[in-house]
Amino acid sequence: MSNSVQHFTAQKNLIHELFKQDDWLKLCKKEPNYPAVKRYKICEQIIAQEGIIKFPENRNIIPELTSILLDNYIFSKVSDGNPASFSLGNFANYGDAKVRQQIASQLKKTNGFQSLMTELSFGAWFLSKKGFQITATEDEGLADFKIDIYNHPISIAVECKHIDTNTNDTRYQEVIKKANKQIKNWKTHLSTEAIYGIVFIDVSNKFRYINSDFGKLLYSLKELTNKIQSIIRRDCSSVNGVLLICDSFQMSNEPGDTSSTSFCFARSGIFIRHLNPVQPLPDYLAEPFEKQWGYQTGYKVNWKHREFMATN
């Protein structure tokens, strides 16, 4: 078995192991366009091609291959599995029993997979960040995460939201205002005088049709940044900032121009700070959101010309 076939077999197996067997069979039968099912089939396709990516036939799935790699890494990380071999753990290090039940429930929902990935993307990054302890919760009325900072008395409450493709601009205001309330609820829950608040919004689906055109993507995100700054300036003073997340995909050159092509997939963010929050966020705590947060993965493909044999 080639290294490429082994790699995609590991990716396929991890996707399958996320689900109980009966749930998986139902999804495959009733929801063929469910994200996990589509990804599983892509892995099977590449395995059937003996680990070979064919061009131009496979052009449309190349970005998906890189996002599979990133999301499976995240699943390995938060489940306490082995990210190096893409093995899945039991999520014992990620929240309490209620959180783990919610993960299983979200995986069964047609629209739940992307929302779950938004939360796990945030959680996985902070699990590997020294000096921070992250706690996931599914308690009603509270933001999704509480982050405790080593040697600092004030925690950070974080609410995560995934924005769908057809979402209009009023949705952002609804999401941020609700998060503002959920962040304040953490103060009551913890019986504390102060807490910082971050809203984490994934707009990858909103801009997925331009995610390989960095110029257009950056322009659209800057427009959205101005709108969000206006929202938090008015009446969301418990929100210290909004971390706007978007996936992007780039390739070093058009396949065929040279003997190899590098593909890069990034999940990165723009941090929009509230200029006058009720509890100012120190610059050193804003830095992980402003300059550090994000993921990047990719792979290199060596191209080989196909040989055609003429027949009589």
Side-chain angles (χ1 to χ4, degrees):
M1 184 184 292
S2 71
N3 288 338
S4 182
V5 170
Q6 288 179 332
H7 169 77
F8 285 107
T9 299
Q11 305 297 327
K12 183 188 79 166
N13 290 343
L14 187 147
I15 293 168
H16 190 182
E17 289 167 10
L18 288 168
F19 303 86
K20 293 180 180 179
Q21 182 64 9
D22 289 347
D23 294 334
W24 177 249
L25 292 174
K26 287 177 184 176
L27 272 178
C28 291
K29 185 176 180 180
K30 296 181 179 180
E31 301 282 352
N33 291 321
Y34 183 83
V37 175
K38 289 174 69 176
R39 293 176 174 198
Y40 184 89
K41 289 178 179 178
I42 288 172
C43 291
E44 284 193 319
Q45 178 183 344
I46 301 299
I47 292 168
Q49 294 173 188
E50 299 181 345
I52 296 170
I53 297 173
K54 297 180 179 181
F55 198 86
E57 298 98 308
N58 298 147
R59 174 188 280 274
N60 291 338
I61 66 171
I62 288 174
E64 190 70 18
L65 290 174
T66 45
S67 63
I68 289 170
L69 180 65
L70 176 55
D71 285 346
N72 281 358
Y73 165 83
I74 289 168
F75 273 122
S76 295
K77 184 71 178 177
V78 298
S79 69
D80 201 23
N82 184 349
S85 61
F86 293 97
S87 64
L88 195 67
N90 61 5
F91 292 93
N93 69 331
Y94 189 79
D96 56 17
K98 190 184 292 186
V99 171
R100 293 190 286 276
Q101 287 171 4
Q102 180 64 10
I103 290 173
S105 175
Q106 285 284 86
L107 283 170
K108 295 177 185 179
K109 297 177 182 178
T110 303
N111 298 321
F113 187 85
Q114 298 295 350
S115 294
L116 178 61
M117 284 314 309
T118 297
E119 292 185 26
L120 297 186
S121 293
F122 183 86
W125 194 86
F126 269 97
L127 279 175
S128 59
K129 189 72 176 170
K130 290 183 179 179
F132 297 88
Q133 181 177 353
I134 187 166
T135 303
T137 183
E138 287 298 332
D139 288 354
E140 187 68 29
L142 295 180
D144 296 315
F145 295 102
K146 177 174 70 76
I147 301 173
D148 294 308
I149 305 107
Y150 177 72
N151 214 20
H152 190 83
I154 303 176
S155 301
I156 305 173
V158 181
E159 175 64 12
C160 298
K161 290 296 180 186
H162 177 265
I163 298 297
D164 292 326
T165 307
N166 298 319
T167 300
N168 59 40
D169 288 349
T170 59
R171 174 67 174 151
Y172 296 105
Q173 183 168 345
E174 293 168 3
V175 163
I176 294 169
K177 290 183 75 171
K178 182 178 179 182
N180 189 69
K181 184 181 294 186
Q182 291 170 309
I183 290 163
K184 287 194 290 187
N185 287 346
W186 265 110
K187 288 171 63 175
T188 305
H189 183 76
L190 296 171
S191 300
T192 183
E193 292 284 323
I195 197 161
Y196 305 121
I198 303 293
V199 188
F200 180 90
I201 303 179
D202 187 347
V203 295
S204 299
N205 268 15
K206 180 79 173 173
F207 299 115
R208 64 191 175 97
Y209 294 110
I210 57 171
N211 72 355
S212 59
D213 187 327
F214 196 73
K216 286 184 180 179
L217 181 60
L218 191 60
Y219 177 80
S220 297
L221 288 174
K222 283 183 176 179
E223 280 193 326
L224 182 54
T225 295
N226 293 334
K227 292 173 184 175
I228 289 177
Q229 182 63 259
S230 176
I231 292 170
I232 61 176
R233 187 189 303 125
R234 289 196 297 268
D235 52 5
C236 295
S237 59
S238 290
V239 175
N240 288 93
V242 174
L243 185 59
L244 204 60
I245 295 300
C246 193
D247 292 348
S248 61
F249 172 78
Q250 291 180 299
M251 58 185 183
S252 60
N253 54 271
E254 186 71 15
D257 291 348
T258 60
S259 61
S260 65
T261 301
S262 294
F263 299 99
C264 178
F265 183 89
R267 181 166 297 153
S268 50
I270 297 174
F271 189 57
I272 308 156
R273 291 182 77 166
H274 196 302
L275 301 179
N276 190 30
V278 67
Q279 183 66 49
L281 184 70
D283 288 342
Y284 82 94
L285 290 181
E287 188 172 347
F289 303 103
E290 288 182 323
K291 299 179 180 179
Q292 300 173 12
W293 197 97
Y295 299 90
Q296 185 169 307
T297 187
Y299 53 89
K300 181 179 180 181
V301 174
N302 295 314
W303 301 108
K304 181 180 178 182
H305 289 292
R306 300 182 217 184
E307 296 177 2
F308 294 93
M309 184 178 293
T311 57
N312 294 329

